[in-house]
Amino acid sequence: MLPLLAGALAGAVVIALFHLAPGPSFRTIHREQSTVDSSGGGDERELAQRPMPSLPPEAARPQPLSTARGPEPHVLPAATETGRWVPGEFTASTEGALAQLVVLWETALHGADPALVERAYRHLAMPGAPDPATTGVHRTVVALRVHAGAPATGPVPDLRAQYRVTHGLVKGSTDRGRYVVVCVLGEMSVTYQAGAARGGLGDCQAMRWAGVGWRVAPGPLPAPAPHAWPGSDACLAAGYREVRRA
């Protein structure tokens, strides 16, 4: 079971699974990441669909941490509404949008259940947001279960999965900061029967300020995030920064 599970996790987080074509260089991508001042819908679509850096499959596998000094971390605000299943009501800032995406996926990926991913995503999605089944996170957990030979949905004895976000990236914003594309990167760890596997999993989502908190925005699904082992050279080269929680 160990080879099957390890192969499932590796296959789920590598670029090939998400059908990505080779993208622009790191330098080009970093130069393009910016705040867009216009409030037009066309700007939002361009920002969301702008390609992200491409990384080789090996970048997502466990590896030594970078010895380079990284940029200053993102300091995430605390949720002001903690009574919900998915905590929310973060501040009206890019860090607030990033914090909302962090808690969304950390909650949704517990147990690696596609049904749970769909439920958590819809909990925060505005009308017109992308279907949860089209997200890379959803496809990841589907692939994990298929390759491990586990049931498609529902609790599975001995199946344990956890996702812990350690890094984030603000791709850019528009509509005076009310529309933000943010990305998270963390370690996905899975154990099933006698097997165990770990890998780096990234995800980008477009978030819109809804007046009292951040929601998954209507419009196109953002370009897929680069997958890297958190804290590795590839992680830093892709533009990720550590996150610190309030």
Side-chain angles (χ1 to χ4, degrees):
M1 184 58 65
L2 179 57
L4 280 177
L5 185 58
L9 185 55
V13 300
V14 299
I15 293 171
L17 179 66
F18 303 123
H19 308 294
L20 298 184
S25 67
F26 290 140
R27 183 171 299 175
T28 301
I29 287 291
H30 290 167
R31 186 167 61 246
E32 290 177 349
Q33 288 172 355
S34 62
T35 297
V36 181
D37 294 328
S38 173
S39 60
D43 291 322
E44 295 174 359
R45 179 175 293 273
E46 187 280 328
L47 174 61
Q49 297 184 322
R50 184 187 306 158
M52 298 293 287
S54 290
L55 295 175
E58 294 76 16
R61 299 190 177 109
Q63 57 196 271
L65 301 183
S66 176
T67 58
R69 180 181 177 86
E72 288 297 310
H74 291 290
V75 179
L76 304 183
T80 59
E81 174 52 70
T82 58
R84 298 180 180 180
W85 175 48
V86 180
E89 312 305 321
F90 291 93
T91 58
S93 63
T94 54
E95 287 75 19
L98 184 58
Q100 184 65 82
L101 188 60
V102 168
V103 299
L104 167 61
W105 288 142
E106 287 187 342
T107 300
L109 281 166
H110 184 74
D113 186 348
L116 192 65
V117 169
E118 293 176 14
R119 179 185 165 203
Y121 181 93
R122 290 195 172 102
H123 183 77
L124 287 177
M126 301 178 77
D131 188 281
T134 66
T135 66
V137 169
H138 187 275
R139 285 185 282 179
T140 295
V141 294
V142 168
L144 280 168
R145 290 200 170 211
V146 168
H147 284 81
T153 61
V156 177
D158 299 327
L159 175 61
R160 301 288 183 270
Q162 185 176 21
Y163 182 59
R164 177 69 175 174
V165 174
T166 58
H167 290 74
L169 185 158
V170 177
K171 187 179 183 183
S173 65
T174 185
D175 194 14
R176 299 182 180 181
R178 291 187 288 264
Y179 178 93
V180 184
V181 179
V182 290
C183 309
V184 294
L185 177 70
E187 179 185 336
M188 183 77 179
S189 59
V190 182
T191 61
Y192 182 45
Q193 297 179 355
R198 299 183 298 158
L201 178 65
D203 181 76
C204 295
Q205 294 295 326
M207 310 294 287
R208 179 168 291 284
W209 178 249
V212 293
W214 292 95
R215 302 293 182 266
V216 181
L221 188 71
H227 308 294
W229 183 249
S232 65
D233 286 332
C235 163
L236 299 182
Y240 288 110
R241 293 160 56 181
E242 284 190 70
V243 295
R244 290 183 183 171
R245 307 175 193 229

